[in-house]
Amino acid sequence: MDVKKIAITGITAGLCLPLALFAIILVPIPGLPAASGFWIPAGFYFVMTLWFGLWGALGGHIATTIAMGYFFGYTLHIWMNGGIGDLIAPLVCLIIFKVTKARPDLRARKDIAVWVVAVVISSLVCGLWVHTIHLFFGIITWPSWYIGVLTYLIGDTMAVLAVGTPLLKSLTDYVKQSPMYIWK
Amino acid sequence: MALIPYTLFFIGTFFCLTAVTVVLDFIQHRLAKHHYIQLIKENRKYLYVYLFKVLAEVALIWLIVAFIGQIWMGWIKF
């Protein structure tokens, strides 16, 4: 196992954990699990995943899983479900970037367009995953399902675009010099 | 009775100083950008130190934004 990759996961988790614990704002429906209003840590682990691949996504997964355990006293499968959702979302974004051959430095118009579309699709996939699992386990009822998916989609999309865009535009040129950058 | 609760005043001062420190750090980096690029070429470790320091600073700024947002939402009361 490569120590550097584990370090990337650890640093991503370390950065995202305080944000996942405390940086939650604009929650539209208090009490509805994972009805994220503005999930700030997502901006960080999306960016780390686009730079460093799976290891960045794993960091986000760990941070979300631990933080959801602290918040609201949610049960274990809600932690795990939220954590898996936040592992899937940045990976979906990464796959879209790979398929479209876009670059995370967002220099070209195509890159920016792919970034916006990929964030929307990733947030939708993650919202569908999290709330459908909640529905199957009887944690939420049917009317809450589409409200949860919609708030997840809007909230995560806003947060990832607001937090992630300046990070990708300003720091990717530095990250390119790292041997761990996955776009060489 | 104080106009601003002591706890809010203390935290507010801490946040202001934190924000000023972060802004000064960004300005310092912009002014000496070429020097830092040279430093990164000479020692790769500096790249990671710089990268994760900036990410941590951005996280600090967002925590301050979230703090204000949570006061606005009524989660934090003084």
Side-chain angles (χ1 to χ4, degrees):
Chain A
M1 187 66 86
D2 193 338
V3 176
K4 285 180 184 173
K5 289 171 181 170
I6 296 171
I8 291 293
T9 300
I11 288 166
T12 309
L15 273 171
C16 292
L17 184 58
L19 292 169
L21 282 170
F22 303 118
I24 300 168
I25 46 178
L26 302 171
V27 173
I29 308 155
L32 180 63
S36 141
F38 196 82
W39 185 238
I40 291 168
F44 284 81
Y45 59 73
F46 265 67
V47 166
M48 293 295 271
T49 307
L50 284 182
W51 288 336
F52 303 115
L54 173 70
W55 305 98
L58 268 178
H61 164 71
I62 292 167
T64 302
T65 305
I66 295 172
M68 287 197 77
Y70 176 81
F71 257 95
F72 307 121
Y74 286 151
T75 51
L76 182 63
H77 62 292
I78 296 185
W79 309 9
M80 297 307 295
N81 188 28
I84 291 169
D86 285 353
L87 177 68
I88 294 169
L91 290 177
V92 170
C93 184
L94 176 64
I95 290 165
I96 293 170
F97 262 74
K98 287 278 184 192
V99 169
T100 56
K101 294 186 172 63
R103 291 279 172 161
D105 54 11
L106 307 184
R107 285 277 164 79
R109 280 186 183 176
K110 178 198 163 191
D111 299 336
I112 296 170
V114 169
W115 165 242
V116 173
V117 172
V119 168
V120 173
I121 293 172
S122 310
S123 301
L124 180 62
V125 169
C126 186
L128 285 169
W129 168 276
V130 167
H131 288 287
T132 305
I133 299 290
H134 281 167
L135 187 68
F136 285 161
F137 276 82
I139 294 160
I140 58 171
T141 52
W142 178 248
S144 301
W145 179 85
Y146 63 85
I147 297 169
V149 172
L150 191 65
T151 55
Y152 204 113
L153 169 65
I154 296 168
D156 268 34
T157 300
M158 283 195 314
V160 175
L161 291 178
V163 179
T165 309
L167 290 177
L168 285 175
K169 283 184 88 75
S170 60
L171 292 175
T172 304
D173 281 345
Y174 290 99
V175 183
K176 279 176 184 172
Q177 298 174 60
S178 165
M180 297 187 69
Y181 184 64
I182 59 169
W183 299 88
K184 298 203 167 171
Chain B
M1 191 177 160
L3 286 174
I4 304 171
Y6 178 74
T7 312
L8 178 61
F9 191 42
F10 191 115
I11 294 170
T13 307
F14 182 81
F15 281 173
C16 283
L17 276 173
T18 305
V20 167
T21 308
V22 169
V23 170
L24 287 176
D25 193 57
F26 283 141
I27 293 170
Q28 183 190 24
H29 184 81
R30 285 190 81 87
L31 291 175
K33 196 173 180 182
H34 296 296
H35 172 70
Y36 289 120
I37 289 169
Q38 188 62 35
L39 206 59
I40 287 168
K41 281 178 186 164
E42 288 170 14
N43 188 349
R44 185 68 55 69
K45 284 178 189 165
Y46 185 80
L47 166 67
Y48 296 107
V49 171
Y50 170 70
L51 178 67
F52 297 128
K53 184 193 71 173
V54 172
L55 288 173
E57 285 175 337
V58 174
L60 272 175
I61 297 295
W62 276 109
L63 269 179
I64 295 171
V65 172
F67 183 80
I68 296 164
Q70 288 181 18
I71 292 175
W72 177 56
M73 285 178 61
W75 289 15
I76 297 172
K77 290 188 177 73
F78 291 97

